[in-house]
Amino acid sequence: MTQSNRPLRALALTGAVLTAAASAVLTGAGPAGAAIHTCSISGDRTQCAYVTGIDAGSHLAVRTAPRYSAPKSPVFGQYHNGDQLGLICWTTGDPDADGHGYRYWMRVDNGIGDGYVNDWYLDTGGPNTWKSQLPQC
């Protein structure tokens, strides 16, 4: 390799590394960055996920059906980033509240009752991960 080609090759290699890093960030963005894990809800072992993507000063409300017009579930409080919810099954419903068009909802459990949250706000790993781990409602 000639000395004049070395800077071009280094530049191309740097571009490839930056492209790969940007791709990893973009594919990690969205409904999930982690995956489902096992936890204990009221003493019972179950599949769980953490709440994520909630703006500061806001909270995730659990609904009685997979749509935002459904009433808030009376047996759930307000959930913030890092709070944990038990997962029962998945379904589809209204798109996420932030406008991404994401229509998957999780039926969740807190040991007292169940309700629904849009999966966009949980770190489940996304449909390619949880469809093999959770039944459809």
Side-chain angles (χ1 to χ4, degrees):
M1 172 172 29
T2 66
Q3 195 156 355
S4 63
N5 288 340
R6 284 187 185 155
L8 291 175
R9 184 172 178 185
L11 183 59
L13 182 58
T14 301
V17 169
L18 291 174
T19 300
S23 176
V25 168
L26 291 175
T27 58
I36 294 171
H37 60 277
T38 303
C39 72
S40 177
I41 300 291
S42 294
D44 294 324
R45 304 291 291 166
T46 190
Q47 302 284 42
C48 290
Y50 291 106
V51 174
T52 187
I54 303 300
D55 293 336
S58 189
H59 67 276
L60 179 65
V62 179
R63 304 284 176 177
T64 58
R67 59 185 180 274
Y68 290 105
S69 62
K72 292 180 183 177
S73 175
V75 298
F76 285 86
Q78 297 179 353
Y79 288 84
H80 301 90
N81 294 331
D83 289 342
Q84 189 168 245
L85 288 167
L87 306 173
I88 299 171
C89 58
W90 66 271
T91 190
T92 56
D94 286 351
D96 65 280
D98 289 330
H100 300 101
Y102 193 78
R103 294 184 169 273
Y104 290 109
W105 286 67
M106 292 290 171
R107 186 170 168 205
V108 296
D109 176 26
N110 67 356
I112 300 170
D114 59 79
Y116 294 86
V117 297
N118 189 294
D119 182 52
W120 186 265
Y121 306 104
L122 299 174
D123 72 342
T124 59
N128 291 335
T129 299
W130 50 252
K131 279 188 175 180
S132 67
Q133 298 177 44
L134 296 170
Q136 187 171 3
C137 300

